Structures are given as C-alpha cells and as structure tokens.
Amino acid sequence: MPVPEQPSDGPELRPLPPVRWAGLAHVIIPGTVVWFLAFLVLLFLIPTLRQHDAMVWLWTALAGWLLGFVGLGIYGWQRAAARRGSRGASSMALEETFGSRGSEPAGR
C-alpha cells in the first residue's frame, strides 16, 4: 500500500548543484584571484587610503589573498589524503572535475 505524501511545512528544497560547481576549488581559486586583484587595485590607491585613514582595506585584501593560498594548501592536503585512502579524509575532493568536460564527477 503506497504511503500518502505528507504536506511540507517549509519551502521546497532545491536540488543540489552538480559537483562540478559545488566543489571547493571552484570557490577557493576565484576567491584568491579576486582578493589579489583587490590588493593590486588598492596598491595604486595608497595615497587616497592614507588620506582617508582607510589603510585597513589594503591589509584586508592582502590577508584575503594570503588566506586563499592557505585554503589551496589545505585543499591539496585533503586531496592527497583522500587519494591515499586516509580514514579522516574527505572523498568529495576526489569527485571534482576541472575544465569544461561535462558535469559528471571524475572516476564514474
């Protein structure tokens, strides 16, 4: 006997995006690039930043750029651990694909 559908109390949930667009590298790499570009632009605006006592923006952009490299390092560390088959490693890092070849996870 089929189970009747129960009405949902909340909004409908959307399906998850494909792994290709939900992966960490698709966030870390562009984010690091954006912080670097912000840092470069702010380097040309140092006199204006000093005049308005807003040098914190330059240091924030530098910190964002450097933390992006930390994120890339951690991501690479997780991928290496997942390839080795370590217990605590996230296997999601191995399912990501890069480039423009379809949205199917690698290895499937």
Side-chain angles (χ1 to χ4, degrees):
M1 182 168 168
V3 177
E5 269 189 49
Q6 296 179 356
S8 64
D9 293 337
E12 283 189 38
L13 297 177
R14 296 186 326 197
L16 294 174
V19 174
R20 177 176 178 211
W21 302 113
L24 288 175
H26 291 92
V27 174
I28 297 171
I29 294 171
T32 303
V33 170
V34 167
W35 280 116
F36 175 68
L37 293 175
F39 179 70
L40 283 181
V41 168
L42 290 171
L43 278 177
F44 290 101
L45 299 174
I46 287 178
T48 306
L49 293 173
R50 283 191 176 148
Q51 182 182 8
H52 292 91
D53 196 27
M55 287 294 289
V56 69
W57 291 107
L58 179 71
W59 305 123
T60 301
L62 178 63
W65 179 40
L66 295 176
L67 285 173
F69 283 113
V70 171
L72 284 170
I74 292 171
Y75 178 74
W77 184 26
Q78 273 292 330
R79 280 182 64 96
R83 271 191 231 110
R84 281 193 315 267
S86 293
R87 250 177 155 188
S90 171
S91 62
M92 184 187 93
L94 293 177
E95 294 176 359
E96 292 188 53
T97 58
F98 298 97
S100 60
R101 292 185 181 189
S103 62
E104 288 297 314
R108 288 191 182 171

